[in-house]
Amino acid sequence: MSHADRKRGNNEPVDTGKTIAFSINGVPCTAFKGETVIQAARRAGMDIPHFCWHPDLSVPGNCRICMVEVEQDKGDPWFDIGCNMPVTEGMRVLTESDTVKKLRRETMQFITLNHPVDCGICNKAGECILQDYHYEHNGRASLSIDRKNHATKFYPLSDRIMLDNERCIMCTRCVRFTHEVSESHALAAVHRGDHALIRPAEDANFNEDAYSDNVIDICPVGALLSRQNLDHARVWYTRATPSVCPGCSRGCSINIWHRKPEWALKALDPQLNTRIERVTPLENPAVNDMWICNKGRDLAQLFERPRAMQALVQGMPVELDVAIDRASALLRGARRVVALVSSWGSNEELAAFHGAFADRLGASMGAYAKPDQLPLPGEVLEDALLIKADKNPNLTAATARFPLLPADAAAALTDSDVVLVWGEGVADDVLPPGATVIRLDGYAFAHNATAHVFIPLSIQTERSGHYTNFAGTVTPFTACFPPKAPVAHAEQLFARLAGHPAPRALAGAGA
Ligand code: SF4
Ligand code: SF4
Ligand code: FES
């Protein structure tokens, strides 16, 4: 059973093989037996407004915005919520009739009865379903003459998430997420009617929910806010680049949000223009559905570590070309090279490495795939939803080409006079004393200066490629930024290191 099957809510279309013919707004459609109107409409490319309904969660039917009309052969039409109405043979559904539109307008009035409509200062503005539906389906100011209820504006739901109670429309998506997907059961609704509030459940700790930040995405309004991204950047100043989370071998599809070049900040620190503003899930049913864990949200902490941007020979700064030529000469003159291959290298880079050194591998050169990252203290090791124990994005592809570095790494390296270390995770003390060490990495470590040659590399956010996850699924990632300094792209570097001509070995700043 796939991950997606395992974690489906009650709300997924059920392909029973039997189809039912019906129509939406006069357009002939088909539904699977048991499918609801909203599900069948979505498959047909028609959107029925919805707040509480979510494709991966159960159906509470509490917001009523999805009301549709069903025409009858005789008598009056009837009205019901499309998210909980199974399609029946010959059903004629109307989603845009005058009565449906009137009901929607009235429902929007109820939903915004106590909502502060403070879009001007709301972090969700620009990607808020309530804001969109207001313009699409309501368009009028509140008709109410009563004062709105007030509630806490910034309630700390956890160390990571703030709740603005006034903006909450009590759709309960967040509560159901913690019950049905993350299974932390950490959120609940307390009180009733227009005094109802979302609160941490008494016997649970939302801080311990490794998937808690998904509620920020699924909240249809600006009630749930990421504390780490609060007020960082308006959504319309940023754009999403599709990528892959390298935090574990699940390889979740993600969007990395960063500032649009046309909205680059000119008066402030230019580094802000190449900062990761936030990370959100990119829906991928084969890998992660529409969820990621909190480690994926925190990728800026991994990608924005101090960078290595200076080539070194014997610890002294040199031009990048000089370091590459020196490393190439050392490799070609070695009696026996052992290469430790990065599990953060893309499929393309692994293939380039394999191709560049194919004539030496198994003879005067050995190569082992190594884990660049190990689980951090306190990190969730593995669970049934997404998180995998291997904390590297591409160890699967690396070990398909090269044997895994044995636990006794030092023993595997004893017979080498030159060791090539690509990526992180290898301390100096496992390297043979007296061996010549060449290191290739994107990040700044003290051991870069103790290597005979150090060559700085571009990192994932500066190049494009593919990773193969633990299950063999290949997913692409795309460069977000140009490299900040002259660094090498590994995919083109290896041919030059091996002594083959390679016209595009280097990647300069702005390349
Ligand atoms: S906080 Fe958001 S997701 Fe949770 S009930 Fe309120 S509106 Fe719905
Ligand atoms: S489950 Fe793994 S790949 Fe997915 S977001 Fe978390 S750390 Fe990243
Ligand atoms: S989406 Fe149907 S009742 Fe909320």
Side-chain angles (χ1 to χ4, degrees):
M1 182 183 282
S2 73
H3 153 73
D5 292 333
R6 226 175 36 240
K7 279 293 168 189
R8 276 185 175 158
N10 305 335
N11 213 1
E12 287 289 311
V14 185
D15 183 357
T16 54
K18 292 185 187 162
T19 52
I20 298 167
F22 77 117
S23 71
I24 303 177
N25 302 329
V27 178
C29 298
T30 53
F32 301 130
K33 194 166 184 302
E35 213 171 19
T36 59
V37 169
I38 205 168
Q39 289 172 325
R42 272 164 70 92
R43 278 200 308 100
M46 296 181 217
D47 186 45
I48 296 175
H50 51 279
F51 286 118
C52 68
W53 184 84
H54 183 280
D56 250 20
L57 300 174
S58 57
V59 184
N62 64 29
C63 75
R64 320 307 281 181
I65 194 69
C66 65
M67 196 68 75
V68 296
E69 180 173 345
V70 181
E71 290 182 303
Q72 304 295 303
D73 289 337
K74 291 183 191 156
D76 292 337
W78 50 277
F79 297 85
D80 206 343
I81 49 174
C83 68
N84 204 29
M85 185 197 297
V87 177
T88 55
E89 190 68 44
M91 184 184 245
R92 301 194 303 274
V93 178
L94 300 178
T95 67
E96 298 300 329
S97 69
D98 288 346
T99 316
V100 168
K101 287 180 179 170
K102 180 169 175 288
L103 289 171
R104 252 180 227 155
R105 273 198 305 275
E106 286 166 359
T107 305
M108 286 297 293
Q109 285 287 332
F110 275 117
I111 286 174
T112 50
L113 204 56
N114 288 304
H115 189 281
V117 199
D118 54 349
C119 308
I121 57 160
C122 179
N123 277 246
K124 194 91 168 191
E127 56 180 8
C128 173
I129 299 176
L130 184 66
Q131 195 179 35
D132 291 347
Y133 284 0
H134 170 74
Y135 290 115
E136 245 175 276
H137 304 298
N138 183 17
R140 293 173 302 171
S142 175
L143 303 179
S144 170
I145 53 169
D146 296 323
R147 284 184 55 180
K148 290 177 188 261
N149 281 349
H150 288 293
T152 339
K153 285 297 279 181
F154 292 103
Y155 180 86
L157 210 50
S158 74
D159 293 344
R160 302 177 62 92
I161 299 173
M162 301 294 294
L163 164 64
D164 184 324
N165 293 281
E166 291 188 341
R167 294 181 190 148
C168 172
I169 60 169
M170 288 307 292
C171 71
T172 70
R173 280 185 181 193
C174 56
V175 175
R176 283 175 284 136
F177 174 85
T178 68
H179 285 250
E180 297 164 16
V181 180
S182 71
E183 295 180 355
S184 67
H185 300 262
L187 295 181
V190 299
H191 309 313
R192 300 180 65 184
D194 60 1
H195 293 290
L197 298 169
I198 298 300
R199 284 289 178 269
E202 271 177 21
D203 52 353
N205 184 351
F206 200 32
N207 281 323
E208 289 171 6
D209 186 331
Y211 298 90
S212 64
D213 288 21
N214 289 289
V215 300
I216 299 167
D217 305 326
I218 63 173
C219 178
V221 296
L224 296 173
L225 305 171
S226 163
R227 297 176 77 163
Q228 63 178 338
N229 299 327
L230 205 60
D231 302 332
H232 263 204
R234 287 307 214 169
V235 66
W236 51 86
Y237 293 141
T238 63
R239 74 160 184 237
T241 297
S243 194
V244 178
C245 173
C248 81
S249 60
R250 169 70 62 181
C252 293
S253 292
I254 54 172
N255 276 319
I256 295 180
W257 292 81
H258 48 93
R259 189 161 274 270
K260 290 176 181 166
E262 61 268 35
W263 284 107
L265 299 163
K266 296 193 175 68
L268 298 173
D269 180 356
Q271 301 283 349
L272 294 175
N273 295 320
T274 53
R275 172 172 85 173
I276 295 173
E277 296 293 354
R278 62 178 174 151
V279 175
T280 55
L282 176 60
E283 188 171 347
N284 183 346
V287 176
N288 53 299
D289 275 0
M290 53 191 77
W291 318 119
I292 57 173
C293 79
N294 291 348
K295 183 180 182 183
R297 308 266 171 184
D298 298 340
L299 281 181
Q301 290 170 16
L302 266 178
F303 287 140
E304 292 176 357
R305 288 177 293 164
R307 292 291 307 283
M309 298 201 274
Q310 175 62 59
L312 305 169
V313 170
Q314 306 277 19
M316 300 303 291
V318 294
E319 294 289 321
L320 186 55
D321 269 337
V322 172
I324 293 171
D325 290 344
R326 180 81 184 117
S328 179
L330 288 169
L331 289 168
R332 281 180 284 134
R335 175 182 50 80
R336 177 167 171 75
V337 178
V338 173
L340 303 181
V341 173
S342 175
S343 50
W344 283 53
S346 66
N347 292 353
E348 293 79 0
E349 291 168 341
L350 293 167
F353 183 92
H354 196 269
F357 294 106
D359 53 346
R360 290 187 68 179
L361 284 167
S364 62
M365 184 170 184
Y368 295 100
K370 63 166 171 61
D372 285 32
Q373 296 280 346
L374 297 172
L376 297 171
E379 183 174 356
V380 175
L381 192 63
E382 181 150 342
D383 67 15
L385 182 53
L386 295 177
I387 299 170
K388 304 300 290 180
D390 169 13
K391 303 304 178 191
N392 301 278
N394 221 14
L395 196 58
T396 303
T399 50
R401 290 186 179 276
F402 310 103
L404 183 65
L405 183 65
D408 187 357
L413 295 167
T414 41
D415 191 30
S416 53
D417 57 338
V418 173
V419 181
L420 175 65
V421 185
W422 170 19
E424 302 177 47
V426 180
D428 276 349
D429 56 8
V430 300
L431 302 175
T436 297
V437 177
I438 300 167
R439 284 190 181 269
L440 322 172
D441 200 356
Y443 294 99
F445 294 104
H447 60 217
N448 295 350
T450 58
H452 286 73
V453 180
F454 173 74
I455 298 173
L457 296 180
S458 55
I459 60 170
Q460 185 184 319
T461 50
E462 297 165 350
R463 53 194 169 81
S464 299
H466 295 79
Y467 289 138
T468 303
N469 85 346
F470 76 100
T473 304
V474 176
T475 315
F477 60 87
T478 308
C480 306
F481 314 113
K484 292 191 174 98
V487 292
H489 281 314
E491 190 179 344
Q492 287 100 35
L493 172 69
F494 297 128
R496 253 190 87 180
L497 287 182
H500 307 309
R504 290 186 62 245
L506 308 182

